[in-house]
Amino acid sequence: MNKCYFCINKVEPSFKKPEVLEKFLTPRKKIQARKISGLCVRHQKSLAQQIKYARFLALIPYVSYQGIE
């Protein structure tokens, strides 16, 4: 099983670092499942909360429009 990224680096997910949050999004900007991301329960919940807050502040887009033209 994968180790939690945030436990290894001893940091917490934060909306202030959208580049880190985007590592845990799919190409269509959906939040990855815990099985895929390898996060522990505590950090997965916190990550989801921070991603939603970053979306609200327009730091991360809600959806990706790359395939639509």
Side-chain angles (χ1 to χ4, degrees):
M1 186 157 83
N2 296 339
K3 294 271 186 170
C4 176
Y5 171 84
F6 297 106
C7 290
I8 292 170
N9 296 317
K10 296 181 180 165
V11 294
E12 292 296 318
S14 173
F15 70 93
K16 295 176 185 177
K17 296 183 180 176
E19 62 279 354
V20 174
L21 299 180
E22 285 185 355
K23 290 181 185 179
F24 300 98
L25 298 176
T26 65
R28 292 190 176 203
K29 305 301 180 195
K30 295 173 103 181
I31 301 171
Q32 287 182 345
R34 204 177 131 238
K35 289 180 181 179
I36 297 168
S37 66
L39 298 178
C40 62
V41 175
R42 186 176 127 234
H43 285 121
Q44 180 72 20
K45 287 181 181 182
S46 176
L47 175 79
Q49 222 173 16
Q50 294 299 312
I51 288 173
K52 290 173 185 177
Y53 190 56
R55 285 175 174 165
F56 176 75
L57 295 174
L59 300 173
I60 297 175
Y62 281 94
V63 293
S64 174
Y65 291 106
Q66 293 174 351
I68 303 171
E69 289 186 28

